[in-house]
Amino acid sequence: MRYMFLIYSQETDEPRSQEEMQQVMQDHAAVLRDAGRKGVLLGVERLKSTGTATTVRFDQGFPVTVDGPFAETKEQLAGYYILECKDLDEAIEWGKRIPTVCKGREGCIEIRPVDDLPKLP
């Protein structure tokens, strides 16, 4: 089953040290190498900051475009992985390895199974 690992972290204007960023990148690289070697890696992307986001919402049936993310939250979506896992237990083990300090301090990994879309005519 495919699982998406949503990486949430806190954005900050404080610059991170070169050593901290290098460690985060090395930790991600280790997960990617291992997932690629095991043939479970289906996708991975890092997102730009929420300041670059655009949200489309509907007001009385008409689309309205606004700058920024839809939700006001302390933690922001920073990126994602998609991995093929045999079950949730395996997905949790992968989730424990993914760094959550891309651009902030604390964070979390939300693991969600990917649902198959129905076949379109």
Side-chain angles (χ1 to χ4, degrees):
M1 173 171 262
R2 290 174 293 147
Y3 286 90
M4 180 172 270
F5 300 76
L6 301 165
I7 304 166
Y8 289 95
S9 66
Q10 295 179 20
E11 292 182 343
T12 177
D13 292 332
E14 299 172 25
R16 300 188 63 83
S17 73
Q18 189 75 10
E19 293 79 22
E20 288 175 302
M21 290 306 298
Q22 190 170 14
Q23 185 62 55
V24 169
M25 297 307 293
Q26 288 175 352
D27 292 346
H28 277 290
V31 174
L32 291 171
R33 273 193 307 272
D34 198 25
R37 192 173 32 248
K38 293 179 178 177
V40 300
L41 179 63
L42 300 176
V44 63
E45 295 289 345
R46 180 174 75 179
L47 300 177
K48 293 190 178 282
S49 72
T50 57
T52 65
T54 300
T55 300
V56 177
R57 66 173 83 186
F58 289 88
D59 183 12
Q60 299 180 3
F62 296 97
V64 178
T65 305
V66 295
D67 292 337
F70 178 74
E72 287 288 330
T73 61
K74 187 175 177 184
E75 295 176 338
Q76 306 297 328
L77 181 60
Y80 68 87
Y81 284 67
I82 300 176
L83 302 176
E84 181 74 35
C85 301
K86 67 180 178 187
D87 56 29
L88 181 58
D89 291 335
E90 182 181 347
I92 290 170
E93 291 307 311
W94 280 107
K96 290 176 181 175
R97 297 183 54 195
I98 298 172
T100 61
V101 289
C102 295
K103 294 193 92 173
R105 293 177 179 82
E106 302 87 18
C108 66
I109 306 294
E110 179 181 332
I111 301 170
R112 296 179 64 177
V114 176
D115 199 4
D116 292 323
L117 289 173
K119 299 266 187 224
L120 298 174

